[in-house]
Amino acid sequence: MSAPLLEVRKFTKSFPGVRALRGVSFTLSRGEVLAVIGENGAGKSTLMKILAGVQRQDGGELFLEGECIEIRSVHDALARGIALIHQELNLADNLDVAANIFLGREPHCAGIIDARRLRREARQFLDAVGLDIDPSVLVRTLPIGKQQLVEIAKALSTNARVLIMDEPTSSLSSHEAENLFAVIRDLRKRGVSIVYISHRLGEVKELADRVTVLRDGENAGELAHEEIDHARMVKFMVGRDLSQFYPHQPHTPGALALEVRALRTPANPQHEVSFSVRAGEIVGIAGLVGAGRTELVETIFGVTPALGGSIRIGGVEMVPQSPLDAIAAGLALVPEDRKQQGIVLGMSVRENVSLASLRRDQRHGFLNRSREAQLSAQMIADLRIKTPHDGQAAQFLSGGNQQKVVLGKWLALEPRVLLLDEPTRGIDVGAKQEIYRLMEELAGRGVAIVFVSSEMEEILGMSDRTLVMHEGRIAGELQRTELSEESVLHLATGTHSRATLS
Amino acid sequence: MKKIFGITGLLIVVCIITALASESFLSGYNLENLVRRTALFGIISIGVAFVIVTGGIDLSIGSVVCLVGCGLPWMLKTYHLPLPVALAVVAAVSVGIGLLHGLIITKLRIQPFVVTLCGLMMYRGITRGFTRDQTFGFGSNYDGLRVLSTGNIPLPFIKGFAIPAPWITLLVVAVLAAIFLNRTIWGRYLFALGRNEEAARYSGINTDRMVILAYVISSTLAGLGGVLFVLDVNSAQPVDFGNVYELYAIAAAVLGGCSLRGGEGSIIGVIVGAALMQVLRNMIMLTTTRTNIEFAIIGAVILLGVIADELVKRYAVRRRAAKALAAGQS
């Protein structure tokens, strides 16, 4: 291979409370597809944001064609030919396709946009990504897969030599993903280098020339094209073999703790969902993004009250109309979006831990401060929350410790049924494993646990039984003995499709 | 706590400057008047602080002051209602206004700014309508009630200065408010939802009910303020009675440490903030012949105060983050 086009040497970057990168290095050759993989929180996104000029590194150097350069802004990065295609697309959906492609660089004469030239040039870049659409249609009328291609066309129009794609298939259908792969291969042929970030290992195997694995902000390993296989990637990502990582033990389920019968959620009112969970059981809910998993647990928890059906908690029938109802019945939910729904960032660890149990522990409306202090001390010890003191604001904790605070808030109420929505998203590997151990321990104590996860390994590793959702309904149920990546995906996609292998 | 020291320091500095610039600042008459106005504005500022803690805003306060301040003597004079009945009516109207604001804001999800801005216009318009822009007062009646605002409590051993009576009301309100905010679960709920309403709701807090409560407290204290203001001056003109008082109240709350982003605030800070506002007004009145620049100066001081506060806060966050990081590494 020729001299690298791009070389990153020893990048470091810290945020309040977290060291996101601790010295990451990699190289990228011309016309190469390099996959950067790693668990959530491994530092992939931070690394890419630095390359694209969204953030600046604290330390380390960047070489482009052997020249040491500094990227100060997004504008700088684009001028150097480095373009980032965000996980969430950055298009102005009220404008047409051509206007988006040349946003900020419109061909003009004395400030008046030359619309005809704009369309003509846009056409040329749309062709390059195989998009046969009229440049004057509004972006919002396009399906998401095509919007993504528009974004790529936009990047190409800036003469990008390095395209960084952050989880590009996370919201695409399998057909759209196949289409995207074809475009990527075509770009590679034309000498464009691509950094492809993903945690879908199937895609990586299919596309990448080389794989770099990050773990906890460091290089965990690198795989050449012929070495790329699932087991090796996972091993680098989690730092050990899977069987050791998940502390799963068989449980003996007790009485029925949660029964959901013909439940209709506001998000998918056309489908009825039924399932049940026994005390001491860990049930995983798998499915693609948008399958209705979060909506299901939020409806059970009363965030978005059910339109119909029944819920029995510990044998008592009640359909929660608010989280307050659900909590009273013995439910708890660790929500998907930790910072928005789980934790109050500006409040202290103590105040967060006690938030849900204040009502129970009140003395005629007054705070029971000694009980509050005792509770938070207990949770800090039990869950091993790393914090200098219980008055520390939650915003200064790492993601994993924040998640433990959210868990502590619920454990303080001793719930009968614990619902967890993506419980380990965005937290480091160590904290992940602690959360798995905690789930095991709680199940051992007879708590019924339902967890939603988009991480295949987590579903395979942690669940006694798995419900797979597809387009708003439960497509199937898998016992632990039937559980495999293929069986889950088969149900999750409705068909067996290679393109969505993850 | 640090914030209160900062604002108290600023208050002292402004007092010293004014005292040096004008001899009449320290006269018993001036001080008494200043302290009285501080108490009256303190009451309405505490009200708006509750709303600001939830991350909302109440722009209708000045107009509620007008509605109640003009409405009370109007009812007494026009309909000869017995005093307790008239007071009950203004109390019910004040509570009702807050309830209405809170319900529209929480159930229809309309921004507090819009709802209370419309209130600002409506309540003054309504007042001007039923009073036909006539000035109302108590004349020489109801002196017993007016003592609440005009009375003085003489201090032992000190002559020439007495504590104005509204301080009794302010102290009662402030103590109750501070206990509510800091010692009850509902106060904690207000702070929590002010910082993150969604997380509070997911934690089983009835956030709508708490937000409605905050608006009820705000308009009720505005109504109480309206009564005390009109008892003090004994004459209320619907055209400008209570005009821009909401801005004085909001400014006092912000200076006193309430963040408009919600989730922060202390009652003592708000009272000190209200005092600072009144001293600034007093300074301008005493030291310049051109009182028409009052707003320019007050605006500039608040802006500088808020900027200084933001800079200090950023510095503190950075230092704490660095510390947390160092602790995490060791």
Side-chain angles (χ1 to χ4, degrees):
Chain A
M1 245 177 233
S2 56
L5 173 67
L6 189 78
E7 182 177 0
V8 167
R9 266 190 215 161
K10 297 260 162 229
F11 265 14
T12 57
K13 174 82 187 173
S14 296
F15 297 106
V18 206
R19 287 207 293 161
L21 297 178
R22 311 167 183 235
V24 169
S25 307
F26 71 84
T27 62
L28 177 69
S29 306
R30 208 165 270 106
E32 182 184 36
V33 177
L34 172 72
V36 176
I37 64 171
E39 307 235 270
N40 290 316
K44 297 169 294 185
S45 290
T46 306
L47 180 59
M48 297 311 140
K49 280 184 189 152
I50 293 172
L51 287 178
V54 180
Q55 286 163 356
R56 296 192 65 177
Q57 74 267 34
D58 298 338
E61 292 159 322
L62 178 64
F63 294 86
L64 189 68
E65 297 184 305
E67 180 198 354
C68 182
I69 62 163
E70 242 181 278
I71 293 178
R72 292 191 182 80
S73 64
V74 176
H75 189 79
D76 238 16
L78 286 175
R80 300 277 188 182
I82 302 174
L84 172 68
I85 296 176
H86 260 280
Q87 205 166 350
E88 300 93 28
L89 300 177
N90 274 326
L91 295 172
D93 66 4
N94 55 334
L95 298 180
D96 68 22
V97 169
N100 264 289
I101 290 178
F102 290 103
L103 197 62
R105 296 169 292 120
E106 294 84 356
H108 64 88
C109 179
I112 299 183
I113 294 175
D114 182 348
R116 205 180 303 161
R117 212 177 113 204
L118 185 73
R119 302 247 159 78
R120 196 175 57 233
E121 293 187 8
R123 179 75 265 151
Q124 175 195 334
F125 292 108
L126 289 174
D127 287 343
V129 296
L131 251 189
D132 183 26
I133 52 169
D134 181 356
S136 58
V137 302
L138 291 184
V139 161
R140 75 162 151 257
T141 63
L142 297 175
I144 191 93
K146 289 192 173 164
Q147 290 190 16
Q148 189 144 37
L149 293 175
V150 171
E151 183 109 32
I152 295 172
K154 178 177 169 182
L156 293 179
S157 76
T158 63
N159 292 320
R161 292 182 290 175
V162 178
L163 269 188
I164 303 168
M165 299 187 176
D166 191 3
E167 307 268 4
T169 57
S170 59
S171 43
L172 298 190
S173 71
S174 54
H175 177 72
E176 287 173 326
E178 282 294 355
N179 198 3
L180 177 70
F181 298 161
V183 171
I184 290 174
R185 290 197 189 96
D186 186 51
L187 291 172
R188 169 169 59 187
K189 234 178 271 164
R190 296 202 272 143
V192 178
S193 305
I194 290 159
V195 179
Y196 191 91
I197 302 174
S198 182
H199 58 236
R200 298 194 173 179
L201 302 182
E203 279 172 22
V204 169
K205 209 164 141 185
E206 189 166 327
L207 270 179
D209 297 315
R210 202 151 51 86
V211 174
T212 272
V213 189
L214 299 185
R215 188 174 66 235
D216 284 340
E218 287 173 303
N219 289 82
E222 195 166 298
L223 297 167
H225 183 67
E226 59 281 3
E227 298 173 313
I228 301 174
D229 70 29
H230 192 264
R232 286 196 183 108
M233 287 193 279
V234 170
K235 195 169 175 184
F236 277 140
M237 275 165 66
V238 302
R240 69 211 91 176
D241 287 328
L242 273 186
S243 53
Q244 295 162 15
F245 190 64
Y246 295 99
H248 187 274
Q249 281 165 7
H251 304 112
T252 34
L256 275 176
L258 174 70
E259 290 173 81
V260 175
R261 288 257 171 308
L263 191 74
R264 289 178 188 275
T265 64
N268 295 293
Q270 72 280 19
H271 295 300
E272 292 183 343
V273 174
S274 302
F275 68 94
S276 59
V277 184
R278 293 179 174 277
E281 202 180 16
I282 300 182
V283 173
I285 301 183
L288 301 179
V289 171
R293 299 168 299 168
T294 295
E295 291 78 359
L296 175 61
V297 290
E298 291 201 332
T299 295
I300 296 171
F301 194 61
V303 177
T304 52
L307 300 178
S310 72
I311 297 174
R312 292 170 80 87
I313 299 155
V316 182
E317 171 132 5
M318 70 104 56
V319 180
Q321 298 301 307
S322 69
L324 190 55
D325 289 353
I327 291 165
L331 287 179
L333 169 69
V334 174
E336 181 181 23
D337 187 338
R338 181 174 59 245
K339 289 188 177 165
Q340 203 53 47
Q341 301 155 345
I343 205 160
V344 184
L345 285 173
M347 285 184 123
S348 68
V349 171
R350 182 180 62 242
E351 289 166 327
N352 268 292
V353 166
S354 66
L355 195 54
S357 46
L358 286 178
R359 182 184 304 273
R360 180 195 62 194
D361 296 337
Q362 65 172 310
R363 286 184 300 205
H364 311 294
F366 285 87
L367 296 170
N368 187 343
R369 294 200 176 189
S370 56
R371 174 86 183 115
E372 189 184 10
Q374 179 199 338
L375 206 59
S376 69
Q378 182 196 334
M379 289 306 157
I380 289 171
D382 286 0
L383 306 185
R384 278 179 282 169
I385 299 170
K386 275 181 220 136
T387 176
H389 49 88
D390 70 358
Q392 177 82 325
Q395 70 197 97
F396 297 113
L397 302 187
S398 70
N401 282 304
Q402 287 177 356
Q403 190 72 322
K404 288 186 196 170
V405 170
V406 178
L407 267 166
K409 172 172 76 181
W410 294 121
L411 298 189
L413 285 171
E414 296 168 3
R416 197 191 301 253
V417 180
L418 179 60
L419 309 168
L420 303 154
D421 194 353
E422 303 285 359
T424 64
R425 173 171 287 177
I427 68 179
D428 62 64
V429 177
K432 247 180 181 175
Q433 206 177 10
E434 289 191 56
I435 285 179
Y436 297 144
R437 274 209 208 101
L438 200 71
M439 286 164 67
E440 277 298 318
E441 194 189 313
L442 290 169
R445 279 197 256 149
V447 178
I449 296 180
V450 178
F451 76 104
V452 170
S453 177
S454 295
E455 287 191 47
M456 184 62 80
E457 285 79 23
E458 200 165 283
I459 290 283
L460 299 183
M462 285 308 296
S463 47
D464 293 321
R465 192 153 56 90
T466 301
L467 307 171
V468 186
M469 291 191 72
H470 175 63
E471 292 181 351
R473 60 196 175 78
I474 293 181
E477 185 181 318
L478 298 166
Q479 299 301 322
R480 190 161 177 85
T481 47
E482 307 167 290
L483 206 54
S484 71
E485 202 169 318
E486 288 71 30
S487 61
V488 171
L489 278 170
H490 183 78
L491 291 167
T493 55
T495 57
H496 194 87
S497 160
R498 278 203 72 210
T500 46
L501 283 184
S502 59
Chain B
M1 230 36 220
K2 274 178 197 158
K3 213 171 213 168
I4 296 174
F5 287 132
I7 174 88
T8 310
L10 186 59
L11 175 64
I12 293 168
V13 169
V14 175
C15 283
I16 291 173
I17 292 174
T18 316
L20 292 177
S22 164
E23 286 175 4
S24 36
F25 179 71
L26 287 178
S27 71
Y29 172 76
N30 186 61
L31 280 185
E32 226 170 80
N33 206 29
L34 189 61
V35 171
R36 188 187 312 278
R37 302 296 283 183
T38 297
L40 294 172
F41 278 97
I43 291 167
I44 61 173
S45 304
I46 288 172
V48 82
F50 274 86
V51 167
I52 292 176
V53 163
T54 69
I57 195 87
D58 190 347
L59 297 175
S60 70
I61 288 173
S63 295
V64 173
V65 166
C66 174
L67 178 65
V68 170
C70 297
L72 180 65
W74 173 77
M75 279 190 289
L76 293 174
K77 197 165 173 182
T78 315
Y79 295 100
H80 305 289
L81 290 183
L83 184 63
V85 174
L87 286 175
V89 170
V90 294
V93 167
S94 306
V95 171
I97 285 173
L99 204 56
L100 180 72
H101 290 169
L103 283 170
I104 295 175
I105 288 162
T106 56
K107 303 301 176 192
L108 298 180
R109 303 256 147 234
I110 297 175
Q111 298 95 321
F113 189 98
V114 175
V115 174
T116 59
L117 179 66
C118 295
L120 178 151
M121 295 189 267
M122 287 192 310
Y123 311 136
R124 184 169 299 276
I126 289 170
T127 311
R128 290 183 60 175
F130 69 71
T131 58
R132 296 171 203 281
D133 274 351
Q134 302 275 315
T135 301
F136 283 88
F138 302 98
S140 51
N141 305 319
Y142 305 108
D143 277 354
L145 185 65
R146 288 196 58 213
V147 166
L148 274 179
S149 282
T150 55
N152 284 315
I153 304 153
L155 289 170
F157 313 117
I158 297 176
K159 287 215 168 91
F161 179 80
I163 292 182
W167 271 84
I168 297 175
T169 312
L170 175 70
L171 282 181
V172 171
V173 167
V175 168
L176 289 178
I179 290 176
F180 185 86
L181 272 185
N182 301 314
R183 298 275 166 181
T184 70
I185 61 170
W186 304 294
R188 181 67 66 74
Y189 289 170
L190 284 178
F191 281 116
L193 78 89
R195 292 203 188 252
N196 188 340
E197 181 161 358
E198 233 185 323
R201 197 158 48 86
Y202 275 73
S203 300
I205 294 168
N206 191 335
T207 51
D208 284 359
R209 198 181 296 170
M210 295 311 302
V211 169
I212 293 170
L213 178 65
Y215 283 92
V216 168
I217 291 173
S218 177
S219 68
T220 304
L221 289 182
L224 175 61
V227 171
L228 294 176
F229 274 115
V230 74
L231 289 175
D232 180 30
V233 296
N234 199 14
S235 128
Q237 278 184 310
V239 180
D240 70 350
F241 191 67
N243 201 17
V244 303
Y245 281 12
E246 63 279 347
L247 299 186
Y248 288 122
I250 293 165
V254 170
L255 280 173
C258 295
S259 162
L260 287 180
R261 286 183 212 109
E264 271 175 72
S266 79
I267 298 301
I268 296 177
V270 171
I271 295 172
V272 178
L276 180 58
M277 293 296 299
Q278 294 312 311
V279 175
L280 280 172
R281 289 178 75 182
N282 192 233
M283 176 180 82
I284 295 156
M285 209 175 67
L286 293 176
T287 57
T288 69
T289 49
R290 304 181 49 194
T291 50
N292 42 10
I293 61 163
E294 177 189 327
F295 281 120
I297 293 186
I298 291 179
V301 170
I302 295 174
L303 188 62
L304 288 175
V306 175
I307 289 173
D309 176 58
E310 184 62 33
L311 294 179
V312 169
K313 205 187 301 173
R314 277 192 202 179
Y315 173 73
V317 165
R318 235 177 282 151
R319 233 183 34 179
R320 282 182 76 180
K323 248 194 220 161
L325 199 63
Q329 279 167 351
S330 61

